[in-house]
Amino acid sequence: QVQLQESGPGLVNPSGTLSLTCAVSGGSVSSRNSWTWVRQPPGKGLEWIGEIYPSGTTNYNPSLKSRVTISVDKSKNQLSLNLRSVTAADTAVYYCARPSAGARFDHWGQGILVTVSS
Amino acid sequence: QSVLTQPPSASGTPGQRVTISCSGSSSNIGRYTLNWYQQFPGTAPKLLIYSNNQRPSGVPDRFSGSKSGTSASLAISGLQSEDEADYFCAAWDDILNGPVFGGGTKLTVL
């Protein structure tokens, strides 16, 4: 059973960079599945951030594409999210997830709340 | 606002049947299968229904899904107090080239 766990700073300064990692256990980050980041502002709905395929190819939400980078570290079996030039609007719970196909996400991390504030 | 449209709230009494709607367009629900997620406060979403009407192992058969055209519905029969949660629909979208979600429906068991 694949398990995902996000980690990183819970507080980021405005204009700074949000950096999170997602440790994968019970499976390999190099498997045939893609890996995804999703976020949820407090009290609001879910927003897809982007995904990375086993080949290393990435696919980002156009609304965030200029600021986001998703990568994989095979040696540590984890994936990473970097979001640059953050504002208060980026305050959210950030989840890593593994889709089986399309919008079917079978596995989720527990999520991590990141607050953008000085 | 969200690409997929859901009512913000729904309610029912124990034992009742409740339905939650999800409306989209030809670029998402009209073309791809629909998935439903259940989320309790402070926890991650959990896959409830996939491929329009399939239940993952462990999901009670009180939960069912359907899709027609660019709309879908989640039905919960024999409503129980532990069903009180937020429910989100999701589908792949050709315009975004990624998954889109509904804004979520907060289900209250009266």
Side-chain angles (χ1 to χ4, degrees):
Chain A
Q1 176 78 337
V2 172
Q3 292 187 319
L4 310 174
Q5 180 152 354
E6 305 88 348
S7 61
L11 182 65
V12 180
N13 288 322
S15 78
T17 296
L18 181 159
S19 297
L20 299 175
T21 59
C22 173
V24 178
S25 60
S28 172
V29 74
S30 302
S31 70
R32 61 180 181 176
N33 300 86
S34 62
W35 302 91
T36 294
W37 286 95
V38 173
R39 69 180 183 179
Q40 184 174 32
K44 296 187 179 181
L46 300 161
E47 179 183 32
W48 174 70
I49 298 171
E51 62 188 348
I52 185 166
Y53 291 88
S55 63
T57 301
T58 52
N59 180 29
Y60 300 129
N61 188 321
S63 69
L64 300 169
K65 188 174 183 177
S66 64
R67 300 193 290 132
V68 67
T69 301
I70 295 174
S71 60
V72 159
D73 186 331
K74 296 179 181 179
S75 67
K76 295 182 178 179
N77 209 37
Q78 66 184 30
L79 60 153
S80 299
L81 169 70
N82 282 310
L83 183 64
R84 299 173 290 279
S85 304
V86 297
T87 70
D90 295 310
T91 293
V93 175
Y94 286 76
Y95 296 100
C96 56
R98 194 190 79 172
S100 295
R104 173 186 169 183
F105 297 98
D106 295 277
H107 301 282
W108 296 74
Q110 85 280 3
I112 182 169
L113 173 62
V114 180
T115 301
V116 178
S117 175
S118 56
Chain B
Q1 62 267 31
S2 302
V3 174
L4 305 182
T5 301
Q6 297 180 238
S9 64
S11 64
T13 56
Q16 231 180 1
R17 183 176 186 269
V18 170
T19 61
I20 297 172
S21 62
C22 176
S23 177
S25 68
S26 58
S27 67
N28 42 66
I29 297 178
R31 189 164 187 175
Y32 298 99
T33 60
L34 199 284
N35 308 279
W36 289 96
Y37 297 88
Q38 179 188 56
Q39 184 180 37
F40 296 105
T43 69
K46 168 194 165 186
L47 183 66
L48 191 66
I49 297 286
Y50 67 94
S51 298
N52 302 330
N53 54 20
Q54 302 298 302
R55 287 185 304 277
S57 174
V59 174
D61 59 8
R62 301 187 295 105
F63 294 91
S64 62
S66 63
K67 190 188 96 166
S68 178
T70 59
S71 295
S73 292
L74 171 70
I76 309 172
S77 60
L79 196 62
Q80 299 180 6
S81 58
E82 55 260 40
D83 298 333
E84 190 162 286
D86 293 324
Y87 294 85
F88 295 91
C89 56
W92 191 264
D93 185 87
D94 276 343
I95 296 175
L96 182 65
N97 192 29
V100 290
F101 297 89
T105 298
K106 183 176 182 61
L107 175 64
T108 300
V109 180
L110 302 170

